[in-house]
Amino acid sequence: SAERFKVADDGSENGYTRYGDWYGNSYGHWCAMFVSWCANEANIPRTIIPLYALVSAGRDWFESRGLFQYKEDYKPKAGDIIFFLSAGAGHTGIVISCDGNTVYTIEGNTSNMCAKRSYNWNYKTITGYGTPLYPKYDGTTHIEFDVSSATDGSNASTR
């Protein structure tokens, strides 16, 4: 039998990532598993952001609950889940902000890494956004994420 071994999170060898390992699917496409892992680490219940490994499953979950917005009709906000779907391929990530013209995201499995990306809000392969029903902010909990070492996503693929 082939020996499986763990490597860096960049997915460069056998597709291993800590996100897939956490999910229970250590060797595969991991953008959706990254979103699920982030939600889990932030203690966001699966009734707000689902556990998913397939981009289409995540989108279907939001759509079936009336929580999916197509890009043409919606300006995203921090905490939304972005979905890219094109010709059977898919990708997903987490919106960290939108200034009206540009959507900023954190994504896993983008150019074999976790990275901060930016897109024009009507970028051709963005399909839309899952809009989780987060509880109303009570003013007491604050989580900081250090994204200072993230790349800017210049000329990066979302596949």
Side-chain angles (χ1 to χ4, degrees):
S1 70
E3 181 179 330
R4 291 178 12 174
F5 55 95
K6 296 183 178 184
V7 297
D9 284 337
D10 68 359
S12 61
E13 188 77 35
N14 292 337
Y16 173 84
T17 67
R18 77 176 74 184
Y19 316 107
D21 192 41
W22 167 83
Y23 189 87
N25 182 4
S26 298
Y27 298 88
H29 300 284
W30 50 277
C31 60
M33 292 182 277
F34 172 77
V35 170
S36 295
W37 180 85
C38 290
N40 183 73
E41 289 297 300
N43 293 316
I44 297 170
R46 293 181 183 165
T47 56
I48 296 175
I49 296 179
L51 178 69
Y52 65 108
L54 295 172
V55 174
S56 58
R59 178 181 167 189
D60 290 348
W61 188 92
F62 284 105
E63 271 191 322
S64 71
R65 288 157 178 79
L67 300 173
F68 187 84
Q69 302 293 323
Y70 287 95
K71 70 178 177 189
E72 295 82 8
D73 304 320
Y74 182 73
K75 292 289 185 181
K77 60 187 179 304
D80 286 348
I81 307 301
I82 190 169
F83 289 93
F84 303 84
L85 295 171
S86 172
H91 186 66
T92 188
I94 303 166
V95 175
I96 56 173
S97 68
C98 180
D99 65 12
N101 296 313
T102 305
V103 179
Y104 299 90
T105 63
I106 293 292
E107 302 167 24
N109 199 21
T110 181
S111 300
N112 292 325
M113 66 181 142
C114 295
K116 180 180 177 184
R117 302 285 188 214
S118 62
Y119 307 91
N120 184 287
W121 74 271
N122 64 354
Y123 186 70
K124 64 183 176 181
T125 62
I126 296 172
T127 302
Y129 303 89
T131 57
L133 292 176
Y134 296 109
K136 186 171 175 81
Y137 178 60
D138 65 7
T140 61
T141 303
H142 185 73
I143 298 173
E144 287 289 332
F145 293 97
D146 179 9
V147 295
S148 59
S149 63
T151 67
D152 68 1
S154 300
N155 300 315
S157 169
T158 58
R159 295 191 186 192

PDB file of all heavy atoms in Angstrom, residues 119-131:
ATOM      1  N   TYR A 119     -11.250  41.320  -5.629  1.00  0.00           N
ATOM      2  CA  TYR A 119     -11.915  41.207  -6.928  1.00  0.00           C
ATOM      3  C   TYR A 119     -12.819  42.409  -7.130  1.00  0.00           C
ATOM      4  O   TYR A 119     -13.408  42.920  -6.172  1.00  0.00           O
ATOM      5  CB  TYR A 119     -12.811  39.954  -6.986  1.00  0.00           C
ATOM      6  CG  TYR A 119     -12.114  38.684  -6.613  1.00  0.00           C
ATOM      7  CD1 TYR A 119     -12.100  38.240  -5.297  1.00  0.00           C
ATOM      8  CD2 TYR A 119     -11.450  37.926  -7.567  1.00  0.00           C
ATOM      9  CE1 TYR A 119     -11.458  37.068  -4.935  1.00  0.00           C
ATOM     10  CE2 TYR A 119     -10.799  36.757  -7.211  1.00  0.00           C
ATOM     11  CZ  TYR A 119     -10.802  36.336  -5.901  1.00  0.00           C
ATOM     12  OH  TYR A 119     -10.156  35.179  -5.554  1.00  0.00           O
ATOM     13  N   ASN A 120     -12.990  42.817  -8.374  1.00  0.00           N
ATOM     14  CA  ASN A 120     -14.038  43.765  -8.690  1.00  0.00           C
ATOM     15  C   ASN A 120     -15.348  43.104  -8.282  1.00  0.00           C
ATOM     16  O   ASN A 120     -15.521  41.901  -8.498  1.00  0.00           O
ATOM     17  CB  ASN A 120     -14.017  44.085 -10.183  1.00  0.00           C
ATOM     18  CG  ASN A 120     -15.024  45.133 -10.546  1.00  0.00           C
ATOM     19  OD1 ASN A 120     -16.223  44.860 -10.559  1.00  0.00           O
ATOM     20  ND2 ASN A 120     -14.552  46.326 -10.832  1.00  0.00           N
ATOM     21  N   TRP A 121     -16.273  43.839  -7.715  1.00  0.00           N
ATOM     22  CA  TRP A 121     -17.491  43.233  -7.165  1.00  0.00           C
ATOM     23  C   TRP A 121     -18.290  42.446  -8.198  1.00  0.00           C
ATOM     24  O   TRP A 121     -19.032  41.546  -7.862  1.00  0.00           O
ATOM     25  CB  TRP A 121     -18.372  44.261  -6.453  1.00  0.00           C
ATOM     26  CG  TRP A 121     -19.106  45.175  -7.379  1.00  0.00           C
ATOM     27  CD1 TRP A 121     -18.672  46.361  -7.881  1.00  0.00           C
ATOM     28  CD2 TRP A 121     -20.393  44.963  -7.929  1.00  0.00           C
ATOM     29  NE1 TRP A 121     -19.608  46.904  -8.715  1.00  0.00           N
ATOM     30  CE2 TRP A 121     -20.688  46.052  -8.763  1.00  0.00           C
ATOM     31  CE3 TRP A 121     -21.343  43.951  -7.809  1.00  0.00           C
ATOM     32  CZ2 TRP A 121     -21.882  46.163  -9.468  1.00  0.00           C
ATOM     33  CZ3 TRP A 121     -22.534  44.063  -8.516  1.00  0.00           C
ATOM     34  CH2 TRP A 121     -22.787  45.163  -9.329  1.00  0.00           C
ATOM     35  N   ASN A 122     -18.139  42.748  -9.485  1.00  0.00           N
ATOM     36  CA  ASN A 122     -18.867  41.983 -10.510  1.00  0.00           C
ATOM     37  C   ASN A 122     -17.946  41.077 -11.327  1.00  0.00           C
ATOM     38  O   ASN A 122     -18.234  40.762 -12.468  1.00  0.00           O
ATOM     39  CB  ASN A 122     -19.673  42.918 -11.409  1.00  0.00           C
ATOM     40  CG  ASN A 122     -18.794  43.855 -12.217  1.00  0.00           C
ATOM     41  OD1 ASN A 122     -17.575  43.900 -12.036  1.00  0.00           O
ATOM     42  ND2 ASN A 122     -19.405  44.617 -13.101  1.00  0.00           N
ATOM     43  N   TYR A 123     -16.846  40.618 -10.727  1.00  0.00           N
ATOM     44  CA  TYR A 123     -15.892  39.721 -11.379  1.00  0.00           C
ATOM     45  C   TYR A 123     -16.620  38.543 -12.031  1.00  0.00           C
ATOM     46  O   TYR A 123     -17.549  37.978 -11.442  1.00  0.00           O
ATOM     47  CB  TYR A 123     -14.882  39.239 -10.336  1.00  0.00           C
ATOM     48  CG  TYR A 123     -13.749  38.427 -10.891  1.00  0.00           C
ATOM     49  CD1 TYR A 123     -12.758  39.002 -11.671  1.00  0.00           C
ATOM     50  CD2 TYR A 123     -13.656  37.069 -10.605  1.00  0.00           C
ATOM     51  CE1 TYR A 123     -11.706  38.252 -12.161  1.00  0.00           C
ATOM     52  CE2 TYR A 123     -12.606  36.313 -11.090  1.00  0.00           C
ATOM     53  CZ  TYR A 123     -11.635  36.908 -11.869  1.00  0.00           C
ATOM     54  OH  TYR A 123     -10.603  36.156 -12.356  1.00  0.00           O
ATOM     55  N   LYS A 124     -16.217  38.175 -13.231  1.00  0.00           N
ATOM     56  CA  LYS A 124     -16.982  37.250 -14.065  1.00  0.00           C
ATOM     57  C   LYS A 124     -17.256  35.887 -13.448  1.00  0.00           C
ATOM     58  O   LYS A 124     -18.297  35.300 -13.719  1.00  0.00           O
ATOM     59  CB  LYS A 124     -16.296  37.073 -15.420  1.00  0.00           C
ATOM     60  CG  LYS A 124     -14.929  36.440 -15.333  1.00  0.00           C
ATOM     61  CD  LYS A 124     -14.250  36.358 -16.690  1.00  0.00           C
ATOM     62  CE  LYS A 124     -12.851  35.797 -16.526  1.00  0.00           C
ATOM     63  NZ  LYS A 124     -12.174  35.718 -17.800  1.00  0.00           N
ATOM     64  N   THR A 125     -16.365  35.329 -12.635  1.00  0.00           N
ATOM     65  CA  THR A 125     -16.636  33.988 -12.102  1.00  0.00           C
ATOM     66  C   THR A 125     -17.284  33.990 -10.718  1.00  0.00           C
ATOM     67  O   THR A 125     -17.596  32.928 -10.191  1.00  0.00           O
ATOM     68  CB  THR A 125     -15.365  33.108 -12.068  1.00  0.00           C
ATOM     69  OG1 THR A 125     -14.406  33.701 -11.206  1.00  0.00           O
ATOM     70  CG2 THR A 125     -14.796  32.907 -13.456  1.00  0.00           C
ATOM     71  N   ILE A 126     -17.504  35.168 -10.131  1.00  0.00           N
ATOM     72  CA  ILE A 126     -18.268  35.206  -8.883  1.00  0.00           C
ATOM     73  C   ILE A 126     -19.724  34.928  -9.232  1.00  0.00           C
ATOM     74  O   ILE A 126     -20.312  35.601 -10.071  1.00  0.00           O
ATOM     75  CB  ILE A 126     -18.167  36.571  -8.174  1.00  0.00           C
ATOM     76  CG1 ILE A 126     -16.734  36.863  -7.733  1.00  0.00           C
ATOM     77  CG2 ILE A 126     -19.114  36.611  -6.958  1.00  0.00           C
ATOM     78  CD1 ILE A 126     -16.518  38.275  -7.200  1.00  0.00           C
ATOM     79  N   THR A 127     -20.300  33.921  -8.584  1.00  0.00           N
ATOM     80  CA  THR A 127     -21.717  33.640  -8.775  1.00  0.00           C
ATOM     81  C   THR A 127     -22.541  34.423  -7.778  1.00  0.00           C
ATOM     82  O   THR A 127     -23.529  35.052  -8.130  1.00  0.00           O
ATOM     83  CB  THR A 127     -21.999  32.136  -8.604  1.00  0.00           C
ATOM     84  OG1 THR A 127     -21.207  31.418  -9.532  1.00  0.00           O
ATOM     85  CG2 THR A 127     -23.463  31.821  -8.827  1.00  0.00           C
ATOM     86  N   GLY A 128     -22.138  34.363  -6.500  1.00  0.00           N
ATOM     87  CA  GLY A 128     -22.899  35.070  -5.483  1.00  0.00           C
ATOM     88  C   GLY A 128     -22.364  34.785  -4.096  1.00  0.00           C
ATOM     89  O   GLY A 128     -21.220  34.341  -3.934  1.00  0.00           O
ATOM     90  N   TYR A 129     -23.244  35.004  -3.111  1.00  0.00           N
ATOM     91  CA  TYR A 129     -22.817  34.994  -1.716  1.00  0.00           C
ATOM     92  C   TYR A 129     -23.813  34.278  -0.824  1.00  0.00           C
ATOM     93  O   TYR A 129     -25.022  34.530  -0.917  1.00  0.00           O
ATOM     94  CB  TYR A 129     -22.673  36.443  -1.218  1.00  0.00           C
ATOM     95  CG  TYR A 129     -21.719  37.240  -2.063  1.00  0.00           C
ATOM     96  CD1 TYR A 129     -22.159  37.936  -3.183  1.00  0.00           C
ATOM     97  CD2 TYR A 129     -20.362  37.258  -1.766  1.00  0.00           C
ATOM     98  CE1 TYR A 129     -21.274  38.646  -3.977  1.00  0.00           C
ATOM     99  CE2 TYR A 129     -19.469  37.962  -2.560  1.00  0.00           C
ATOM    100  CZ  TYR A 129     -19.931  38.645  -3.664  1.00  0.00           C
ATOM    101  OH  TYR A 129     -19.048  39.335  -4.455  1.00  0.00           O
ATOM    102  N   GLY A 130     -23.283  33.436   0.044  1.00  0.00           N
ATOM    103  CA  GLY A 130     -24.069  32.924   1.146  1.00  0.00           C
ATOM    104  C   GLY A 130     -24.094  34.010   2.209  1.00  0.00           C
ATOM    105  O   GLY A 130     -23.065  34.638   2.486  1.00  0.00           O
ATOM    106  N   THR A 131     -25.263  34.253   2.770  1.00  0.00           N
ATOM    107  CA  THR A 131     -25.411  35.336   3.749  1.00  0.00           C
ATOM    108  C   THR A 131     -25.847  34.733   5.090  1.00  0.00           C
ATOM    109  O   THR A 131     -27.034  34.666   5.396  1.00  0.00           O
ATOM    110  CB  THR A 131     -26.427  36.383   3.260  1.00  0.00           C
ATOM    111  OG1 THR A 131     -27.672  35.732   2.996  1.00  0.00           O
ATOM    112  CG2 THR A 131     -25.938  37.063   1.989  1.00  0.00           C
TER     113      THR A 131
END
